[in-house]
Amino acid sequence: NSKNLMELKFVPVSEILEGYKNGRRDFSGIVCKGANFCSVKLKGCNFSHSDLSFSDFSWADISDCDFSNTNLEWCDFTFAHMERSKFVNARITYCILNNAKVEGADFRGADLSESLAFNVILHSANTEGARILGLVTSPSQLTKEGLIQAKEVLEKLKGKIPMSVWLAIKSGLEKKIERAETT
């Protein structure tokens, strides 16, 4: 990222939603971690050079947005509309992109490693130069070792992210690990 954390403005999710409702579309250079954007329409916004990690974008319309150089680690994009959005050099690690619509999206240089992308038509997006180490596109690729590694990374984040977000992610991982052990 070209901006460091000290230069970013902390913005609550309520300010983003209210600003959007009033016609604002530029939210670049902000920090809004652990935000609930579930089922929200934020079409055409600029979130470049921001930190939106640990946020829930499931079922959201974030099409035609700019997330270039944005930290989107541990986000949930399940069923999100991401068509034509820019994720150039974005950090999208440990994310869930299951059933997301990514047609025409630009993931050039993005880091999608260790994320889940079931039922995603990635070839309909530009993934040139994207890092996809450990990107799981089918449940058959999900390994117990990979889940344990994700849990270890999460343990290191304890106290650094909102506890409610941390507990929700931990619970989900533990359930997946239990399922992997019984199969």
Side-chain angles (χ1 to χ4, degrees), residues 104-124:
D106 188 350
F107 291 99
R108 285 178 296 151
D111 188 350
L112 292 156
S113 55
E114 307 302 333
S115 292
L116 301 178
F118 303 160
N119 302 315
V120 176
I121 305 170
L122 274 175
H123 66 269
S124 67

Side-chain angles (χ1 to χ4, degrees), residues 11-177:
V11 177
V13 68
S14 58
E15 187 177 318
I16 294 169
L17 298 177
E18 187 67 26
Y20 184 85
K21 193 169 84 176
N22 294 324
R24 181 176 171 197
R25 296 296 181 266
D26 187 3
F27 300 98
S28 59
I30 65 164
V31 172
C32 187
K33 292 182 174 187
N36 183 358
F37 295 115
C38 180
S39 301
V40 170
K41 181 178 183 176
L42 292 169
K43 188 174 181 165
C45 288
N46 179 2
F47 290 104
S48 64
H49 302 281
S50 295
D51 187 346
L52 302 171
S53 54
F54 305 97
S55 294
D56 184 354
F57 290 96
S58 60
W59 298 92
D61 183 351
I62 52 172
S63 56
D64 301 302
C65 287
D66 187 353
F67 291 95
S68 298
N69 300 296
T70 294
N71 182 1
L72 295 164
E73 292 179 295
W74 294 92
C75 285
D76 186 350
F77 295 100
T78 305
F79 286 102
H81 285 272
M82 304 163 75
E83 297 98 328
R84 300 168 306 283
S85 287
K86 287 174 54 177
F87 296 90
V88 176
N89 298 319
R91 188 167 174 87
I92 313 170
T93 56
Y94 295 101
C95 289
I96 302 171
L97 297 128
N98 298 345
N99 299 295
K101 307 293 181 221
V102 298
E103 291 79 10
D106 188 350
F107 291 99
R108 285 178 296 151
D111 188 350
L112 292 156
S113 55
E114 307 302 333
S115 292
L116 301 178
F118 303 160
N119 302 315
V120 176
I121 305 170
L122 274 175
H123 66 269
S124 67
N126 185 347
T127 57
E128 184 180 324
R131 290 177 298 288
I132 56 172
L133 181 68
L135 177 67
V136 178
T137 57
S138 163
S140 63
Q141 296 172 304
L142 201 55
T143 65
K144 181 181 172 194
E145 294 75 24
L147 291 167
I148 291 170
Q149 179 187 353
K151 188 175 177 189
E152 289 169 359
V153 171
L154 181 63
E155 287 297 326
K156 293 176 187 172
L157 295 170
K158 189 173 185 176
K160 297 176 184 171
I161 63 172
M163 185 55 73
S164 60
V165 174
W166 188 85
L167 288 170
I169 296 169
K170 182 178 183 209
S171 173
L173 276 172
E174 287 174 345
K175 286 177 189 168
K176 286 179 179 63
I177 291 170

